[in-house]
């Protein structure tokens, strides 16, 4: 049941994502349907997700197909300011290991058609709720060191 729902959600951006406080996102997260690693992989593969802080878009992550790689670029940042890494499951959490040495884990839920992530540390929730404002089939363009990542045409 969750797989078809996640596939449908991944194809359409949640329309009308309105500015809401972290307290409201926390309540929505608590009432949401958990998204495990398998559903997360299906939802993200070959797609870009735009993360919001509840008021404005903050960054975009692209998940190249057939890998567990992730490319992150902050909204408004130049093409040469991207981060790369991998995502991996840790229990029901999704952890991101960045090439610059940092790691972060998050839990994921769907509530009323909106995907919401929450940061975790050592398995404990930290808050920091980030609703996904947009899904796209279009990869982000990024210059990574001496190599330029350009989506296949």
């Amino acid at each position: 049941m969750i797989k078809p729902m996640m596939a449908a959600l991944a194809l359409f951006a949640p329309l009308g994502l309105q500015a809401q406080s972290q307290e409201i996102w926390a309540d929505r997260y608590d009432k949401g349907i958990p998204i495990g690693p398998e559903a997360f992989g299906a939802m993200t593969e070959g797609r870009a997700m735009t993360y919001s802080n509840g008021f404005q878009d903050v960054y975009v992550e692209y998940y190249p197909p057939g890998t567990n790689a992730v490319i992150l670029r902050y909204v408004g940042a130049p093409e040469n300011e991207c981060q790369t890494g991998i995502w991996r499951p840790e229990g029901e959490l999704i952890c991101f290991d960045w090439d610059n040495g940092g790691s972060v884990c998050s839990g994921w839920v769907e509530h009323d058609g909106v995907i919401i992530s929450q940061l975790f540390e050592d398995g404990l929730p930290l808050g920091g709720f980030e609703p996904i404002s947009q899904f796209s089939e279009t990869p982000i363009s990024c210059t990574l060191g001496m190599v330029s990542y350009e989506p296949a045409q």
Side-chain angles (χ1 to χ4, degrees):
M1 177 70 162
I2 288 183
K3 282 187 183 180
M5 175 185 67
M6 297 314 307
L9 287 171
L11 294 176
F12 301 102
L15 301 175
L17 184 64
Q18 299 177 4
Q20 296 182 17
S21 71
Q22 287 288 293
E23 293 80 22
I24 292 172
W25 288 115
D27 182 60
R28 294 183 79 184
Y29 183 92
D30 290 343
K31 294 175 181 173
I33 300 167
I35 299 170
E38 186 177 324
F40 179 84
M43 175 179 74
T44 59
E45 184 174 8
R47 296 185 175 98
M49 294 193 315
T50 302
Y51 290 73
S52 167
N53 62 11
F55 297 96
Q56 64 185 12
D57 292 341
V58 180
Y59 59 95
V60 179
E61 286 180 345
Y62 175 66
Y63 299 83
T67 73
N68 66 336
V70 60
I71 302 167
L72 178 147
R73 186 161 128 203
Y74 286 93
V75 172
E79 284 189 17
N80 65 343
E81 291 184 17
C82 295
Q83 296 179 29
T84 58
I86 61 165
W87 71 268
R88 61 180 168 78
E90 189 169 298
E92 288 301 303
L93 299 177
I94 303 299
C95 296
F96 298 87
D97 298 322
W98 299 104
D99 293 344
N100 67 5
S103 291
V104 64
C105 295
S106 54
W108 295 80
V109 302
E110 180 275 327
H111 181 268
D112 285 344
V114 177
I115 305 298
I116 307 165
S117 73
Q118 176 183 203
L119 298 175
F120 281 74
E121 186 174 0
D122 298 324
L124 301 173
L126 292 176
F129 300 94
E130 297 177 318
I132 303 304
S133 63
Q134 180 179 358
F135 283 92
S136 172
E137 301 290 328
T138 305
I140 59 176
S141 182
C142 224
T143 304
L144 304 171
M146 297 291 288
V147 178
S148 179
Y149 174 80
E150 290 294 331
Q153 299 297 327

